[in-house]
Amino acid sequence: MKIEKIEFIFADLPLVRPFQTSFSTQTVRHLVVVKAHTNIGIGWSECVAMAEPLYSSEYLAGCVDVIKTFFLPALKQAGDFQVSEISKILGPFLGHPMAKAALETACLDAQLKSEKRSFAEFFGATRTKVDCGVSVGISSSIEKLEEEVAGYIAEGYQRIKLKIQPGWDIKPVGRIRELYPNTLMQVDANQAYTRADIGHLLQLDQFDLLLNEQPLHEHDIVGHAKLAAKSKTPVCLDESIISLQTAQDAIELKATSVINIKPGRVGGYLESRAIHDFCKEIGIPVWCGGMLESGIGRAANVALAALDGFKLPGDTSASNRYYKRDITEPFVMKNGQLDVPKKPGIGVDIDEDFLNSIAQKRDEVKL
Ligand code: SMG
Ligand code: MG
C-alpha cells in the first residue's frame, strides 16, 4: 500500500468525571485522530499519548511532529509497503511507540477494510465478547470512592482496578475489599513508589488482589523483581513493557508474572499480538490496558482482548464510563461484557460530523 495523505484531527472529549492518577488529574481526553488516505482506501486510528509526557515520555504534539518529520518521509521512500513492514521501516527511529502505533493502526484499518476483514479475524481472536474491568481514579475521600465503586459494581463490571499512590493505598483498598469480598480487584500506582516502599507494599498481600500494577519506576526492573520475590500478590508491569524484547526480559528476570498489553505503548497491534503469543506459549497471563480511548482505539483494543491468551478482564470499559457522547457508536456493556466488533477493519463508524464539531485544530500532510 501507499499513503497519499494523512489528516490529524485534534479534538477534546470531556470525561464524565475527573480521572486522578498518581501523576495527573484529567478532566478531558485530548485526542489526535489519524485519518490515513491510502491507495487502497481510508483507515482510522487515534494516538493514545496524553497531551503531556506524564504517563510516558511521549506526548500528542510530539507524536504528530515525529510522524510528519520522520515517519511519513520514510514510508514514502519505501514505496509500496505492507503493514507488516512498517515497524521495520520505522525501526531506525528510536522510541516513539505511540506515534508508530497510530500510523500502523490507521494503515492496518485501511488494509483490512479493503480485504473486508475485521481486526478480530486478522488477530485470530477466539471470543465474540470480552470481559470488562474498570479503572477507578484516586478519590477525594473514601466515601466518594465507595460511591463510585458501588456504581460500577451495579453496572456489572467484573473487575475493579484502584489507582493508588503513597497516602492513598492500604486504607481505601482495604475498605473496598471489605465491601466486596469476592470481587476481582487489582491496584495501579503508575510508578509512584520506590524500592524503599517494598515493605509497605507487602501490606497489600492481605487483600487477595489479582495483581499489583507498575508500583515502581518504569526503569526499575530489578526493584520490581525484588518486590515480586517477597510478594504474594503478582507484580504486573505496564509502563516498563515497551516491546516483545522488554516483556521477555522482565519475565526472565522475574520482575513480572502478568502483563498489561497496551498497543500504543508497545508500538502497535502487531507487536501486541507477538507479546500475547509469547506469553501464551509460556503460560504468562496478559490483559488489555487502556488509555481512555475513544471508540476508535477501544474497538481495536476489544478485538485484541478477544484473543485466547487475554486471561483477565481488561481496562476495556463501556464508552459511558468515559464519555457522554463518543466519536463512534458507543460500546455498551451487557452482563459485564462488550461485543467484539465484526465489521471490517476497526469495525466501528466514525461520526465525522460530531468529530468535526469538536475539532480544535487540523493538520495534514500530502505525500
Ligand atoms: O482506559 O480505562 C482506561 C484507563 C485505564 O488506568 C488506566 N490507564 O496506567 O493503566 C494505566 C492508566 C494509564 C492512563 S492514565 C491517564
Ligand atoms: Mg497502568
Side-chain angles (χ1 to χ4, degrees), residues 6-31:
I6 293 271
E7 287 180 70
F8 300 97
I9 303 135
F10 294 72
D12 286 352
L13 266 187
L15 291 166
V16 292
R17 59 160 63 85
F19 185 55
Q20 187 181 339
T21 61
S22 62
F23 60 86
S24 79
T25 303
Q26 285 173 271
T27 54
V28 167
R29 183 49 163 131
H30 301 287
L31 293 173

mmCIF file with all atom_site columns, all heavy atoms in Angstrom, residues 6-31:
data_model
loop_
_atom_site.group_PDB
_atom_site.id
_atom_site.type_symbol
_atom_site.label_atom_id
_atom_site.label_alt_id
_atom_site.label_comp_id
_atom_site.label_asym_id
_atom_site.label_entity_id
_atom_site.label_seq_id
_atom_site.pdbx_PDB_ins_code
_atom_site.Cartn_x
_atom_site.Cartn_y
_atom_site.Cartn_z
_atom_site.occupancy
_atom_site.B_iso_or_equiv
_atom_site.pdbx_formal_charge
_atom_site.auth_seq_id
_atom_site.auth_comp_id
_atom_site.auth_asym_id
_atom_site.auth_atom_id
_atom_site.pdbx_PDB_model_num
ATOM 1   N N   . ILE A 1 6  ? -2.261  12.141 5.007  1.00 0.00 ? 6  ILE A N   1
ATOM 2   C CA  . ILE A 1 6  ? -2.632  11.865 6.405  1.00 0.00 ? 6  ILE A CA  1
ATOM 3   C C   . ILE A 1 6  ? -3.249  13.132 6.986  1.00 0.00 ? 6  ILE A C   1
ATOM 4   O O   . ILE A 1 6  ? -2.698  14.231 6.831  1.00 0.00 ? 6  ILE A O   1
ATOM 5   C CB  . ILE A 1 6  ? -1.390  11.505 7.261  1.00 0.00 ? 6  ILE A CB  1
ATOM 6   C CG1 . ILE A 1 6  ? -0.788  10.165 6.836  1.00 0.00 ? 6  ILE A CG1 1
ATOM 7   C CG2 . ILE A 1 6  ? -1.738  11.496 8.740  1.00 0.00 ? 6  ILE A CG2 1
ATOM 8   C CD1 . ILE A 1 6  ? -1.353  8.957  7.517  1.00 0.00 ? 6  ILE A CD1 1
ATOM 9   N N   . GLU A 1 7  ? -4.399  12.958 7.603  1.00 0.00 ? 7  GLU A N   1
ATOM 10  C CA  . GLU A 1 7  ? -5.013  14.079 8.335  1.00 0.00 ? 7  GLU A CA  1
ATOM 11  C C   . GLU A 1 7  ? -4.887  13.811 9.826  1.00 0.00 ? 7  GLU A C   1
ATOM 12  O O   . GLU A 1 7  ? -5.108  12.689 10.282 1.00 0.00 ? 7  GLU A O   1
ATOM 13  C CB  . GLU A 1 7  ? -6.508  14.173 8.015  1.00 0.00 ? 7  GLU A CB  1
ATOM 14  C CG  . GLU A 1 7  ? -6.834  14.691 6.642  1.00 0.00 ? 7  GLU A CG  1
ATOM 15  C CD  . GLU A 1 7  ? -8.347  14.738 6.461  1.00 0.00 ? 7  GLU A CD  1
ATOM 16  O OE1 . GLU A 1 7  ? -9.001  15.583 7.104  1.00 0.00 ? 7  GLU A OE1 1
ATOM 17  O OE2 . GLU A 1 7  ? -8.867  13.898 5.706  1.00 0.00 ? 7  GLU A OE2 1
ATOM 18  N N   . PHE A 1 8  ? -4.563  14.837 10.573 1.00 0.00 ? 8  PHE A N   1
ATOM 19  C CA  . PHE A 1 8  ? -4.559  14.757 12.037 1.00 0.00 ? 8  PHE A CA  1
ATOM 20  C C   . PHE A 1 8  ? -5.675  15.671 12.534 1.00 0.00 ? 8  PHE A C   1
ATOM 21  O O   . PHE A 1 8  ? -5.684  16.861 12.197 1.00 0.00 ? 8  PHE A O   1
ATOM 22  C CB  . PHE A 1 8  ? -3.235  15.267 12.611 1.00 0.00 ? 8  PHE A CB  1
ATOM 23  C CG  . PHE A 1 8  ? -2.025  14.502 12.133 1.00 0.00 ? 8  PHE A CG  1
ATOM 24  C CD1 . PHE A 1 8  ? -1.260  14.996 11.069 1.00 0.00 ? 8  PHE A CD1 1
ATOM 25  C CD2 . PHE A 1 8  ? -1.647  13.306 12.728 1.00 0.00 ? 8  PHE A CD2 1
ATOM 26  C CE1 . PHE A 1 8  ? -0.143  14.311 10.613 1.00 0.00 ? 8  PHE A CE1 1
ATOM 27  C CE2 . PHE A 1 8  ? -0.522  12.612 12.274 1.00 0.00 ? 8  PHE A CE2 1
ATOM 28  C CZ  . PHE A 1 8  ? 0.221   13.117 11.219 1.00 0.00 ? 8  PHE A CZ  1
ATOM 29  N N   . ILE A 1 9  ? -6.590  15.116 13.290 1.00 0.00 ? 9  ILE A N   1
ATOM 30  C CA  . ILE A 1 9  ? -7.680  15.930 13.831 1.00 0.00 ? 9  ILE A CA  1
ATOM 31  C C   . ILE A 1 9  ? -7.508  15.998 15.345 1.00 0.00 ? 9  ILE A C   1
ATOM 32  O O   . ILE A 1 9  ? -7.560  14.969 16.026 1.00 0.00 ? 9  ILE A O   1
ATOM 33  C CB  . ILE A 1 9  ? -9.058  15.345 13.446 1.00 0.00 ? 9  ILE A CB  1
ATOM 34  C CG1 . ILE A 1 9  ? -9.135  15.241 11.916 1.00 0.00 ? 9  ILE A CG1 1
ATOM 35  C CG2 . ILE A 1 9  ? -10.196 16.204 13.997 1.00 0.00 ? 9  ILE A CG2 1
ATOM 36  C CD1 . ILE A 1 9  ? -9.682  13.952 11.416 1.00 0.00 ? 9  ILE A CD1 1
ATOM 37  N N   . PHE A 1 10 ? -7.248  17.189 15.832 1.00 0.00 ? 10 PHE A N   1
ATOM 38  C CA  . PHE A 1 10 ? -7.089  17.395 17.289 1.00 0.00 ? 10 PHE A CA  1
ATOM 39  C C   . PHE A 1 10 ? -8.463  17.741 17.844 1.00 0.00 ? 10 PHE A C   1
ATOM 40  O O   . PHE A 1 10 ? -9.079  18.718 17.414 1.00 0.00 ? 10 PHE A O   1
ATOM 41  C CB  . PHE A 1 10 ? -6.146  18.574 17.571 1.00 0.00 ? 10 PHE A CB  1
ATOM 42  C CG  . PHE A 1 10 ? -4.715  18.366 17.142 1.00 0.00 ? 10 PHE A CG  1
ATOM 43  C CD1 . PHE A 1 10 ? -4.353  18.371 15.792 1.00 0.00 ? 10 PHE A CD1 1
ATOM 44  C CD2 . PHE A 1 10 ? -3.712  18.189 18.090 1.00 0.00 ? 10 PHE A CD2 1
ATOM 45  C CE1 . PHE A 1 10 ? -3.028  18.197 15.404 1.00 0.00 ? 10 PHE A CE1 1
ATOM 46  C CE2 . PHE A 1 10 ? -2.387  18.017 17.715 1.00 0.00 ? 10 PHE A CE2 1
ATOM 47  C CZ  . PHE A 1 10 ? -2.043  18.009 16.364 1.00 0.00 ? 10 PHE A CZ  1
ATOM 48  N N   . ALA A 1 11 ? -8.925  16.940 18.800 1.00 0.00 ? 11 ALA A N   1
ATOM 49  C CA  . ALA A 1 11 ? -10.253 17.206 19.364 1.00 0.00 ? 11 ALA A CA  1
ATOM 50  C C   . ALA A 1 11 ? -10.250 16.913 20.857 1.00 0.00 ? 11 ALA A C   1
ATOM 51  O O   . ALA A 1 11 ? -9.462  16.092 21.333 1.00 0.00 ? 11 ALA A O   1
ATOM 52  C CB  . ALA A 1 11 ? -11.296 16.335 18.665 1.00 0.00 ? 11 ALA A CB  1
ATOM 53  N N   . ASP A 1 12 ? -11.119 17.580 21.582 1.00 0.00 ? 12 ASP A N   1
ATOM 54  C CA  . ASP A 1 12 ? -11.206 17.374 23.034 1.00 0.00 ? 12 ASP A CA  1
ATOM 55  C C   . ASP A 1 12 ? -12.528 16.707 23.377 1.00 0.00 ? 12 ASP A C   1
ATOM 56  O O   . ASP A 1 12 ? -13.590 17.186 22.998 1.00 0.00 ? 12 ASP A O   1
ATOM 57  C CB  . ASP A 1 12 ? -11.148 18.722 23.774 1.00 0.00 ? 12 ASP A CB  1
ATOM 58  C CG  . ASP A 1 12 ? -9.747  19.291 23.764 1.00 0.00 ? 12 ASP A CG  1
ATOM 59  O OD1 . ASP A 1 12 ? -8.815  18.575 23.336 1.00 0.00 ? 12 ASP A OD1 1
ATOM 60  O OD2 . ASP A 1 12 ? -9.591  20.451 24.186 1.00 0.00 ? 12 ASP A OD2 1
ATOM 61  N N   . LEU A 1 13 ? -12.437 15.602 24.118 1.00 0.00 ? 13 LEU A N   1
ATOM 62  C CA  . LEU A 1 13 ? -13.649 14.932 24.588 1.00 0.00 ? 13 LEU A CA  1
ATOM 63  C C   . LEU A 1 13 ? -13.684 15.053 26.117 1.00 0.00 ? 13 LEU A C   1
ATOM 64  O O   . LEU A 1 13 ? -12.799 14.511 26.792 1.00 0.00 ? 13 LEU A O   1
ATOM 65  C CB  . LEU A 1 13 ? -13.604 13.436 24.245 1.00 0.00 ? 13 LEU A CB  1
ATOM 66  C CG  . LEU A 1 13 ? -14.247 12.914 22.966 1.00 0.00 ? 13 LEU A CG  1
ATOM 67  C CD1 . LEU A 1 13 ? -14.204 11.387 22.959 1.00 0.00 ? 13 LEU A CD1 1
ATOM 68  C CD2 . LEU A 1 13 ? -15.674 13.398 22.801 1.00 0.00 ? 13 LEU A CD2 1
ATOM 69  N N   . PRO A 1 14 ? -14.671 15.735 26.663 1.00 0.00 ? 14 PRO A N   1
ATOM 70  C CA  . PRO A 1 14 ? -14.738 15.844 28.127 1.00 0.00 ? 14 PRO A CA  1
ATOM 71  C C   . PRO A 1 14 ? -15.048 14.500 28.771 1.00 0.00 ? 14 PRO A C   1
ATOM 72  O O   . PRO A 1 14 ? -15.860 13.724 28.265 1.00 0.00 ? 14 PRO A O   1
ATOM 73  C CB  . PRO A 1 14 ? -15.897 16.822 28.373 1.00 0.00 ? 14 PRO A CB  1
ATOM 74  C CG  . PRO A 1 14 ? -16.413 17.226 27.045 1.00 0.00 ? 14 PRO A CG  1
ATOM 75  C CD  . PRO A 1 14 ? -15.720 16.469 25.962 1.00 0.00 ? 14 PRO A CD  1
ATOM 76  N N   . LEU A 1 15 ? -14.384 14.205 29.889 1.00 0.00 ? 15 LEU A N   1
ATOM 77  C CA  . LEU A 1 15 ? -14.655 12.965 30.635 1.00 0.00 ? 15 LEU A CA  1
ATOM 78  C C   . LEU A 1 15 ? -15.888 13.178 31.516 1.00 0.00 ? 15 LEU A C   1
ATOM 79  O O   . LEU A 1 15 ? -16.131 14.296 31.991 1.00 0.00 ? 15 LEU A O   1
ATOM 80  C CB  . LEU A 1 15 ? -13.457 12.615 31.525 1.00 0.00 ? 15 LEU A CB  1
ATOM 81  C CG  . LEU A 1 15 ? -12.189 12.166 30.780 1.00 0.00 ? 15 LEU A CG  1
ATOM 82  C CD1 . LEU A 1 15 ? -10.983 12.173 31.716 1.00 0.00 ? 15 LEU A CD1 1
ATOM 83  C CD2 . LEU A 1 15 ? -12.384 10.765 30.202 1.00 0.00 ? 15 LEU A CD2 1
ATOM 84  N N   . VAL A 1 16 ? -16.640 12.100 31.770 1.00 0.00 ? 16 VAL A N   1
ATOM 85  C CA  . VAL A 1 16 ? -17.841 12.249 32.600 1.00 0.00 ? 16 VAL A CA  1
ATOM 86  C C   . VAL A 1 16 ? -17.475 12.573 34.054 1.00 0.00 ? 16 VAL A C   1
ATOM 87  O O   . VAL A 1 16 ? -18.269 13.153 34.782 1.00 0.00 ? 16 VAL A O   1
ATOM 88  C CB  . VAL A 1 16 ? -18.765 11.006 32.565 1.00 0.00 ? 16 VAL A CB  1
ATOM 89  C CG1 . VAL A 1 16 ? -19.396 10.837 31.198 1.00 0.00 ? 16 VAL A CG1 1
ATOM 90  C CG2 . VAL A 1 16 ? -18.019 9.738  32.965 1.00 0.00 ? 16 VAL A CG2 1
ATOM 91  N N   . ARG A 1 17 ? -16.274 12.183 34.474 1.00 0.00 ? 17 ARG A N   1
ATOM 92  C CA  . ARG A 1 17 ? -15.791 12.579 35.806 1.00 0.00 ? 17 ARG A CA  1
ATOM 93  C C   . ARG A 1 17 ? -14.267 12.667 35.741 1.00 0.00 ? 17 ARG A C   1
ATOM 94  O O   . ARG A 1 17 ? -13.633 12.001 34.923 1.00 0.00 ? 17 ARG A O   1
ATOM 95  C CB  . ARG A 1 17 ? -16.222 11.595 36.881 1.00 0.00 ? 17 ARG A CB  1
ATOM 96  C CG  . ARG A 1 17 ? -15.753 10.162 36.692 1.00 0.00 ? 17 ARG A CG  1
ATOM 97  C CD  . ARG A 1 17 ? -15.804 9.411  38.004 1.00 0.00 ? 17 ARG A CD  1
ATOM 98  N NE  . ARG A 1 17 ? -17.130 9.292  38.556 1.00 0.00 ? 17 ARG A NE  1
ATOM 99  C CZ  . ARG A 1 17 ? -18.005 8.342  38.226 1.00 0.00 ? 17 ARG A CZ  1
ATOM 100 N NH1 . ARG A 1 17 ? -17.689 7.451  37.317 1.00 0.00 ? 17 ARG A NH1 1
ATOM 101 N NH2 . ARG A 1 17 ? -19.179 8.285  38.793 1.00 0.00 ? 17 ARG A NH2 1
ATOM 102 N N   . PRO A 1 18 ? -13.669 13.509 36.578 1.00 0.00 ? 18 PRO A N   1
ATOM 103 C CA  . PRO A 1 18 ? -12.204 13.628 36.543 1.00 0.00 ? 18 PRO A CA  1
ATOM 104 C C   . PRO A 1 18 ? -11.555 12.276 36.839 1.00 0.00 ? 18 PRO A C   1
ATOM 105 O O   . PRO A 1 18 ? -12.114 11.473 37.582 1.00 0.00 ? 18 PRO A O   1
ATOM 106 C CB  . PRO A 1 18 ? -11.896 14.624 37.665 1.00 0.00 ? 18 PRO A CB  1
ATOM 107 C CG  . PRO A 1 18 ? -13.169 15.333 37.953 1.00 0.00 ? 18 PRO A CG  1
ATOM 108 C CD  . PRO A 1 18 ? -14.272 14.382 37.607 1.00 0.00 ? 18 PRO A CD  1
ATOM 109 N N   . PHE A 1 19 ? -10.417 12.024 36.223 1.00 0.00 ? 19 PHE A N   1
ATOM 110 C CA  . PHE A 1 19 ? -9.691  10.772 36.425 1.00 0.00 ? 19 PHE A CA  1
ATOM 111 C C   . PHE A 1 19 ? -8.346  11.113 37.032 1.00 0.00 ? 19 PHE A C   1
ATOM 112 O O   . PHE A 1 19 ? -7.456  11.617 36.361 1.00 0.00 ? 19 PHE A O   1
ATOM 113 C CB  . PHE A 1 19 ? -9.539  10.046 35.084 1.00 0.00 ? 19 PHE A CB  1
ATOM 114 C CG  . PHE A 1 19 ? -8.914  8.677  35.194 1.00 0.00 ? 19 PHE A CG  1
ATOM 115 C CD1 . PHE A 1 19 ? -9.446  7.708  36.028 1.00 0.00 ? 19 PHE A CD1 1
ATOM 116 C CD2 . PHE A 1 19 ? -7.797  8.352  34.444 1.00 0.00 ? 19 PHE A CD2 1
ATOM 117 C CE1 . PHE A 1 19 ? -8.874  6.445  36.127 1.00 0.00 ? 19 PHE A CE1 1
ATOM 118 C CE2 . PHE A 1 19 ? -7.221  7.087  34.514 1.00 0.00 ? 19 PHE A CE2 1
ATOM 119 C CZ  . PHE A 1 19 ? -7.765  6.131  35.367 1.00 0.00 ? 19 PHE A CZ  1
ATOM 120 N N   . GLN A 1 20 ? -8.217  10.842 38.345 1.00 0.00 ? 20 GLN A N   1
ATOM 121 C CA  . GLN A 1 20 ? -6.975  11.168 39.045 1.00 0.00 ? 20 GLN A CA  1
ATOM 122 C C   . GLN A 1 20 ? -6.102  9.934  39.204 1.00 0.00 ? 20 GLN A C   1
ATOM 123 O O   . GLN A 1 20 ? -6.558  8.881  39.670 1.00 0.00 ? 20 GLN A O   1
ATOM 124 C CB  . GLN A 1 20 ? -7.267  11.778 40.423 1.00 0.00 ? 20 GLN A CB  1
ATOM 125 C CG  . GLN A 1 20 ? -5.984  12.270 41.086 1.00 0.00 ? 20 GLN A CG  1
ATOM 126 C CD  . GLN A 1 20 ? -6.209  12.877 42.470 1.00 0.00 ? 20 GLN A CD  1
ATOM 127 O OE1 . GLN A 1 20 ? -7.322  13.291 42.811 1.00 0.00 ? 20 GLN A OE1 1
ATOM 128 N NE2 . GLN A 1 20 ? -5.150  12.937 43.263 1.00 0.00 ? 20 GLN A NE2 1
ATOM 129 N N   . THR A 1 21 ? -4.850  10.079 38.792 1.00 0.00 ? 21 THR A N   1
ATOM 130 C CA  . THR A 1 21 ? -3.861  9.020  38.979 1.00 0.00 ? 21 THR A CA  1
ATOM 131 C C   . THR A 1 21 ? -2.731  9.610  39.820 1.00 0.00 ? 21 THR A C   1
ATOM 132 O O   . THR A 1 21 ? -2.790  10.791 40.206 1.00 0.00 ? 21 THR A O   1
ATOM 133 C CB  . THR A 1 21 ? -3.288  8.573  37.618 1.00 0.00 ? 21 THR A CB  1
ATOM 134 O OG1 . THR A 1 21 ? -2.640  9.702  37.022 1.00 0.00 ? 21 THR A OG1 1
ATOM 135 C CG2 . THR A 1 21 ? -4.375  8.087  36.686 1.00 0.00 ? 21 THR A CG2 1
ATOM 136 N N   . SER A 1 22 ? -1.690  8.813  40.068 1.00 0.00 ? 22 SER A N   1
ATOM 137 C CA  . SER A 1 22 ? -0.584  9.332  40.868 1.00 0.00 ? 22 SER A CA  1
ATOM 138 C C   . SER A 1 22 ? 0.176   10.433 40.138 1.00 0.00 ? 22 SER A C   1
ATOM 139 O O   . SER A 1 22 ? 0.962   11.146 40.744 1.00 0.00 ? 22 SER A O   1
ATOM 140 C CB  . SER A 1 22 ? 0.369   8.191  41.245 1.00 0.00 ? 22 SER A CB  1
ATOM 141 O OG  . SER A 1 22 ? 0.924   7.614  40.079 1.00 0.00 ? 22 SER A OG  1
ATOM 142 N N   . PHE A 1 23 ? -0.066  10.591 38.826 1.00 0.00 ? 23 PHE A N   1
ATOM 143 C CA  . PHE A 1 23 ? 0.711   11.603 38.095 1.00 0.00 ? 23 PHE A CA  1
ATOM 144 C C   . PHE A 1 23 ? -0.099  12.766 37.540 1.00 0.00 ? 23 PHE A C   1
ATOM 145 O O   . PHE A 1 23 ? 0.474   13.750 37.095 1.00 0.00 ? 23 PHE A O   1
ATOM 146 C CB  . PHE A 1 23 ? 1.528   10.945 36.972 1.00 0.00 ? 23 PHE A CB  1
ATOM 147 C CG  . PHE A 1 23 ? 0.697   10.216 35.946 1.00 0.00 ? 23 PHE A CG  1
ATOM 148 C CD1 . PHE A 1 23 ? 0.154   10.890 34.868 1.00 0.00 ? 23 PHE A CD1 1
ATOM 149 C CD2 . PHE A 1 23 ? 0.459   8.846  36.052 1.00 0.00 ? 23 PHE A CD2 1
ATOM 150 C CE1 . PHE A 1 23 ? -0.611  10.227 33.912 1.00 0.00 ? 23 PHE A CE1 1
ATOM 151 C CE2 . PHE A 1 23 ? -0.294  8.174  35.106 1.00 0.00 ? 23 PHE A CE2 1
ATOM 152 C CZ  . PHE A 1 23 ? -0.836  8.870  34.032 1.00 0.00 ? 23 PHE A CZ  1
ATOM 153 N N   . SER A 1 24 ? -1.435  12.644 37.521 1.00 0.00 ? 24 SER A N   1
ATOM 154 C CA  . SER A 1 24 ? -2.212  13.782 36.993 1.00 0.00 ? 24 SER A CA  1
ATOM 155 C C   . SER A 1 24 ? -3.696  13.617 37.265 1.00 0.00 ? 24 SER A C   1
ATOM 156 O O   . SER A 1 24 ? -4.154  12.542 37.661 1.00 0.00 ? 24 SER A O   1
ATOM 157 C CB  . SER A 1 24 ? -2.017  13.939 35.476 1.00 0.00 ? 24 SER A CB  1
ATOM 158 O OG  . SER A 1 24 ? -2.814  13.007 34.764 1.00 0.00 ? 24 SER A OG  1
ATOM 159 N N   . THR A 1 25 ? -4.426  14.685 37.045 1.00 0.00 ? 25 THR A N   1
ATOM 160 C CA  . THR A 1 25 ? -5.888  14.617 37.048 1.00 0.00 ? 25 THR A CA  1
ATOM 161 C C   . THR A 1 25 ? -6.360  15.065 35.679 1.00 0.00 ? 25 THR A C   1
ATOM 162 O O   . THR A 1 25 ? -6.058  16.181 35.246 1.00 0.00 ? 25 THR A O   1
ATOM 163 C CB  . THR A 1 25 ? -6.482  15.547 38.129 1.00 0.00 ? 25 THR A CB  1
ATOM 164 O OG1 . THR A 1 25 ? -5.942  15.173 39.386 1.00 0.00 ? 25 THR A OG1 1
ATOM 165 C CG2 . THR A 1 25 ? -8.003  15.419 38.164 1.00 0.00 ? 25 THR A CG2 1
ATOM 166 N N   . GLN A 1 26 ? -7.049  14.167 34.997 1.00 0.00 ? 26 GLN A N   1
ATOM 167 C CA  . GLN A 1 26 ? -7.554  14.514 33.667 1.00 0.00 ? 26 GLN A CA  1
ATOM 168 C C   . GLN A 1 26 ? -9.051  14.779 33.740 1.00 0.00 ? 26 GLN A C   1
ATOM 169 O O   . GLN A 1 26 ? -9.786  14.019 34.367 1.00 0.00 ? 26 GLN A O   1
ATOM 170 C CB  . GLN A 1 26 ? -7.336  13.348 32.697 1.00 0.00 ? 26 GLN A CB  1
ATOM 171 C CG  . GLN A 1 26 ? -5.907  13.178 32.229 1.00 0.00 ? 26 GLN A CG  1
ATOM 172 C CD  . GLN A 1 26 ? -5.748  11.901 31.409 1.00 0.00 ? 26 GLN A CD  1
ATOM 173 O OE1 . GLN A 1 26 ? -5.472  10.848 31.953 1.00 0.00 ? 26 GLN A OE1 1
ATOM 174 N NE2 . GLN A 1 26 ? -5.937  12.016 30.103 1.00 0.00 ? 26 GLN A NE2 1
ATOM 175 N N   . THR A 1 27 ? -9.482  15.824 33.077 1.00 0.00 ? 27 THR A N   1
ATOM 176 C CA  . THR A 1 27 ? -10.925 16.098 33.004 1.00 0.00 ? 27 THR A CA  1
ATOM 177 C C   . THR A 1 27 ? -11.401 16.001 31.555 1.00 0.00 ? 27 THR A C   1
ATOM 178 O O   . THR A 1 27 ? -12.586 15.972 31.283 1.00 0.00 ? 27 THR A O   1
ATOM 179 C CB  . THR A 1 27 ? -11.246 17.509 33.529 1.00 0.00 ? 27 THR A CB  1
ATOM 180 O OG1 . THR A 1 27 ? -10.436 18.441 32.816 1.00 0.00 ? 27 THR A OG1 1
ATOM 181 C CG2 . THR A 1 27 ? -10.946 17.622 35.019 1.00 0.00 ? 27 THR A CG2 1
ATOM 182 N N   . VAL A 1 28 ? -10.433 15.971 30.652 1.00 0.00 ? 28 VAL A N   1
ATOM 183 C CA  . VAL A 1 28 ? -10.721 15.949 29.218 1.00 0.00 ? 28 VAL A CA  1
ATOM 184 C C   . VAL A 1 28 ? -9.761  14.960 28.572 1.00 0.00 ? 28 VAL A C   1
ATOM 185 O O   . VAL A 1 28 ? -8.607  14.878 28.977 1.00 0.00 ? 28 VAL A O   1
ATOM 186 C CB  . VAL A 1 28 ? -10.434 17.349 28.616 1.00 0.00 ? 28 VAL A CB  1
ATOM 187 C CG1 . VAL A 1 28 ? -10.416 17.317 27.112 1.00 0.00 ? 28 VAL A CG1 1
ATOM 188 C CG2 . VAL A 1 28 ? -11.432 18.375 29.110 1.00 0.00 ? 28 VAL A CG2 1
ATOM 189 N N   . ARG A 1 29 ? -10.220 14.214 27.567 1.00 0.00 ? 29 ARG A N   1
ATOM 190 C CA  . ARG A 1 29 ? -9.284  13.414 26.776 1.00 0.00 ? 29 ARG A CA  1
ATOM 191 C C   . ARG A 1 29 ? -8.931  14.244 25.554 1.00 0.00 ? 29 ARG A C   1
ATOM 192 O O   . ARG A 1 29 ? -9.798  14.548 24.734 1.00 0.00 ? 29 ARG A O   1
ATOM 193 C CB  . ARG A 1 29 ? -9.938  12.085 26.368 1.00 0.00 ? 29 ARG A CB  1
ATOM 194 C CG  . ARG A 1 29 ? -9.014  11.131 25.586 1.00 0.00 ? 29 ARG A CG  1
ATOM 195 C CD  . ARG A 1 29 ? -7.690  10.965 26.271 1.00 0.00 ? 29 ARG A CD  1
ATOM 196 N NE  . ARG A 1 29 ? -6.899  9.829  25.849 1.00 0.00 ? 29 ARG A NE  1
ATOM 197 C CZ  . ARG A 1 29 ? -5.608  9.907  25.507 1.00 0.00 ? 29 ARG A CZ  1
ATOM 198 N NH1 . ARG A 1 29 ? -4.995  11.097 25.436 1.00 0.00 ? 29 ARG A NH1 1
ATOM 199 N NH2 . ARG A 1 29 ? -4.928  8.825  25.230 1.00 0.00 ? 29 ARG A NH2 1
ATOM 200 N N   . HIS A 1 30 ? -7.686  14.663 25.490 1.00 0.00 ? 30 HIS A N   1
ATOM 201 C CA  . HIS A 1 30 ? -7.234  15.368 24.288 1.00 0.00 ? 30 HIS A CA  1
ATOM 202 C C   . HIS A 1 30 ? -6.908  14.291 23.265 1.00 0.00 ? 30 HIS A C   1
ATOM 203 O O   . HIS A 1 30 ? -6.045  13.447 23.512 1.00 0.00 ? 30 HIS A O   1
ATOM 204 C CB  . HIS A 1 30 ? -5.995  16.211 24.590 1.00 0.00 ? 30 HIS A CB  1
ATOM 205 C CG  . HIS A 1 30 ? -6.224  17.239 25.660 1.00 0.00 ? 30 HIS A CG  1
ATOM 206 N ND1 . HIS A 1 30 ? -6.973  18.373 25.433 1.00 0.00 ? 30 HIS A ND1 1
ATOM 207 C CD2 . HIS A 1 30 ? -5.831  17.282 26.951 1.00 0.00 ? 30 HIS A CD2 1
ATOM 208 C CE1 . HIS A 1 30 ? -7.026  19.081 26.551 1.00 0.00 ? 30 HIS A CE1 1
ATOM 209 N NE2 . HIS A 1 30 ? -6.342  18.441 27.483 1.00 0.00 ? 30 HIS A NE2 1
ATOM 210 N N   . LEU A 1 31 ? -7.588  14.346 22.148 1.00 0.00 ? 31 LEU A N   1
ATOM 211 C CA  . LEU A 1 31 ? -7.424  13.296 21.137 1.00 0.00 ? 31 LEU A CA  1
ATOM 212 C C   . LEU A 1 31 ? -6.673  13.814 19.927 1.00 0.00 ? 31 LEU A C   1
ATOM 213 O O   . LEU A 1 31 ? -6.853  14.965 19.531 1.00 0.00 ? 31 LEU A O   1
ATOM 214 C CB  . LEU A 1 31 ? -8.781  12.862 20.591 1.00 0.00 ? 31 LEU A CB  1
ATOM 215 C CG  . LEU A 1 31 ? -9.789  12.136 21.458 1.00 0.00 ? 31 LEU A CG  1
ATOM 216 C CD1 . LEU A 1 31 ? -11.096 12.011 20.669 1.00 0.00 ? 31 LEU A CD1 1
ATOM 217 C CD2 . LEU A 1 31 ? -9.263  10.757 21.810 1.00 0.00 ? 31 LEU A CD2 1
#
